[in-house]
Amino acid sequence: MGRSRSNIPRYAAAVPHPEPRAVWHPESRHVGRRVLLFSELPSTNDTAASLAADPANAGAVVVADFQTRGRGQYGRVWQSRPGASLLLSALLFPHPAVRRPVVLTAWAAVAVGDAIRALTGVSTRIKWPNDLLVGGKKVCGILIEQGAGTVVGIGLNLNQTAAEFTETGLPDGISLGVIAGKAFDPEDSLRVVLRHLDDEYVRLIDGGPGWLESRWRERFDMLNEPVIAELAGGESIRGRIMEMGFDGIALDGGEIRILTPEAVRQVRKA
Ligand code: BTN
């Protein structure tokens, strides 16, 4: 997978896909105006990308019960048995001011975080760049890829057990089921997630990024703590993040450096 200059990975070329098992037309204003539900796909990101040739597909959401070639950030494999996770990708054609990776990542992380709170009553924290955590464990991952359109892929853990995470070598994973102590219906949960994605997107494009930016900052889990920031160019800096916004991150590592968010690949505890 190549990378665009904006640091968002480019998605692969269009791929053929089977017929969806269902199509929804919710009353969404942007995100999820059409929802295509598939039993199985290689990757929902690939199918959403293949819809980008037609701008009329703006806001389409592709959902799969199972992915045979699901992927995460940095080319990692993303696997989940049917019914265990929500696997979805939204196709967007955002205005240039919104198309920035940091803004889209914040949009998805804040909206899905709100959906998780609506479903479980529990708040999430954001781990740079785009993991959602509960109690320090990962409940959701986001993968944004760019081509003719922008594809925002979301994998939300729903019904895995704690034992299942351990057995599959993911001891730092957690699901809504573990958080709330009950099973979650995938389609009911999907409707809640779609509503929050759509509401937050409308707020972003109508009202600008300020409100989103402040909630993204509040939920970031390492503000003012000792961290190591890994930059896209390979450099690592130790310090504390003193302030952060879409236009810059102030990192105090003896001297204060202002970093553009797109230049920061990873932030981890020092
Ligand atoms: C990560 O945490 O590394 C990002 C994980 C993103 C996984 C989702 S599942 C739906 C969509 N389709 C994919 O192939 N990946 C994303």
Side-chain angles (χ1 to χ4, degrees):
M1 199 188 321
R3 280 178 188 276
S4 66
R5 284 185 60 214
S6 65
N7 203 30
I8 308 183
R10 293 190 66 79
Y11 53 64
V15 289
H17 57 78
E19 282 299 302
R21 66 169 171 75
V23 180
W24 295 350
H25 296 277
E27 288 188 0
S28 304
R29 284 153 295 175
H30 285 275
V31 183
R33 284 191 294 194
R34 196 157 64 103
V35 182
L36 308 173
L37 298 108
F38 295 85
S39 302
E40 181 178 311
L41 287 174
S43 159
T44 56
N45 267 33
D46 291 343
T47 300
S50 69
L51 300 176
D54 183 355
N57 287 322
V61 170
V62 174
V63 184
D65 302 333
F66 182 67
Q67 297 182 128
T68 52
R69 287 172 47 199
R71 59 179 177 274
Q73 290 178 67
Y74 312 122
R76 291 185 198 122
V77 173
W78 182 275
Q79 277 176 326
S80 180
R81 66 175 165 79
S85 300
L86 272 188
L87 309 167
L88 64 125
S89 300
L91 173 65
L92 302 170
F93 295 93
H95 185 273
V98 171
R99 198 160 55 215
R100 291 183 57 204
V102 64
V103 177
L104 289 169
T105 298
W107 159 68
V110 167
V112 177
D114 286 350
I116 292 171
R117 195 173 50 228
L119 288 162
T120 66
V122 170
S123 298
T124 48
R125 307 292 291 164
I126 298 172
K127 176 169 179 276
W128 191 276
N130 48 15
D131 291 345
L132 288 181
L133 307 182
V134 171
K137 295 192 166 191
K138 179 165 172 172
V139 67
C140 177
I142 298 161
L143 177 66
I144 298 182
E145 295 175 316
Q146 180 81 53
T150 299
V151 173
V152 181
I154 297 168
L156 172 60
N157 297 331
L158 278 190
N159 289 316
Q160 296 93 333
T161 62
E164 199 174 338
F165 282 116
T166 309
E167 282 157 17
T168 52
L170 298 167
D172 293 330
I174 194 165
S175 64
L176 300 197
V178 171
I179 294 165
K182 62 174 190 178
F184 283 82
D185 179 77
E187 294 197 352
D188 291 347
S189 309
L190 174 62
R191 288 182 202 278
V192 175
V193 170
L194 290 175
R195 180 165 50 78
H196 283 275
L197 287 170
D198 189 47
D199 287 350
E200 196 62 45
Y201 197 72
V202 170
R203 199 174 288 138
L204 174 63
I205 57 176
D206 286 355
W211 172 239
L212 174 66
E213 185 181 38
S214 64
R215 284 177 306 144
W216 169 75
R217 184 191 297 114
E218 276 164 20
R219 295 182 197 184
F220 184 62
D221 78 329
M222 290 181 207
L223 207 54
N224 295 316
E225 288 182 25
V227 297
I228 300 172
E230 290 173 14
L231 306 193
E235 186 187 358
S236 290
I237 315 173
R238 280 177 180 269
R240 284 172 198 268
I241 295 180
M242 310 306 291
E243 189 44 85
M244 59 190 290
F246 292 158
D247 289 331
I249 297 175
L251 184 78
D252 184 354
E255 64 185 62
I256 303 222
R257 285 198 39 193
I258 309 292
L259 308 166
T260 52
E262 281 83 359
V264 180
R265 189 175 190 264
Q266 193 59 262
V267 177
R268 53 192 165 84
K269 288 197 166 98

